[in-house]
């Protein structure tokens, strides 16, 4: 059985490498349009994997907005985001490139807000 399997694999691999020619790929015309749209969207708002600090979450939008305003009043230099992920509204802070960068700011605010923790998120590129 082992010899049969080994010899079969050798025959198949030699057949694959012995073939020469060209490969044609047929795709629906709409596929190219979708790929181009995706590229345009990526250019419009460039993001990358990074970190944010979540300072609050609640199922009530007004409560989350109030908490966001409280943060903005204290730290206006940091970007704030109100995100809805059913059933919660979440207030997230910053566009940190590394966990260490987020942790430094986390240490400053951890005593001021109730449920503070670092989360992975798609963050915006820094402003030039």
């Amino acid at each position: 059985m082992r010899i049969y399997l080994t010899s079969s694999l050798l025959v198949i691999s030699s057949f694959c490498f012995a073939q020469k020619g060209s490969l044609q790929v047929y795709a629906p015309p709409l596929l190219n349009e979708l790929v181009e749209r995706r590229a345009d969207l990526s250019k419009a708002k460039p993001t990358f994997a990074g970190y944010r600090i979540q300072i609050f979450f609640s199922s009530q939008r007004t409560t989350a907005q109030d908490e966001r305003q409280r943060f903005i009043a204290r730290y206006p230099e940091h970007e704030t985001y109100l995100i809805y992920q059913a059933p919660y509204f979440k207030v997230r802070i910053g566009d940190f490139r590394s966990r260490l960068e987020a942790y430094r700011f986390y240490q400053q605010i951890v005593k001021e807000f109730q449920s503070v923790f670092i989360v992975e998120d798609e963050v915006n590129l820094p402003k030039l």
Side-chain angles (χ1 to χ4, degrees):
M1 179 71 174
R2 218 180 211 173
I3 295 172
Y4 176 73
L5 182 62
T6 305
S7 62
S8 297
L9 288 175
L10 286 173
V11 170
I12 292 171
S13 64
S14 65
F15 177 73
C16 290
F17 290 111
Q19 297 294 317
K20 293 184 180 180
S22 63
L23 174 66
Q24 292 183 350
V25 177
Y26 295 98
L30 186 59
L31 182 63
N32 287 336
E33 185 180 329
L34 290 174
V35 170
E36 288 175 14
R37 279 188 192 175
R38 176 69 176 141
D40 290 342
L41 287 174
S42 295
K43 290 176 188 174
K45 186 166 184 163
T47 62
F48 62 96
Y51 298 89
R52 289 194 173 133
I53 300 171
Q54 184 166 308
I55 63 167
F56 185 79
F57 66 97
S58 172
S59 59
Q60 298 178 1
R61 182 185 188 116
T62 55
T63 309
Q65 287 174 330
D66 292 344
E67 196 68 13
R68 180 176 183 229
Q69 290 304 319
R70 183 169 82 97
F71 179 86
I72 291 171
R74 180 88 167 94
Y75 301 97
E77 68 278 6
H78 287 277
E79 293 293 327
T80 61
Y81 303 92
L82 182 62
I83 300 166
Y84 179 70
Q85 291 176 334
Y88 296 109
F89 291 93
K90 300 175 180 182
V91 179
R92 292 189 177 170
I93 308 306
D95 291 315
F96 302 104
R97 291 173 289 205
S98 69
R99 184 176 283 276
L100 180 61
E101 188 180 349
Y103 184 71
R104 287 184 188 130
F105 188 62
Y106 165 88
Q107 289 178 315
Q108 293 178 24
I109 65 171
V110 68
K111 294 179 182 176
E112 296 179 54
F113 298 91
Q114 293 177 356
S115 56
V116 180
F117 53 94
I118 298 171
V119 296
E120 289 184 30
D121 206 346
E122 285 292 312
V123 300
N124 300 318
L125 290 174
K127 295 176 183 172
L128 299 177

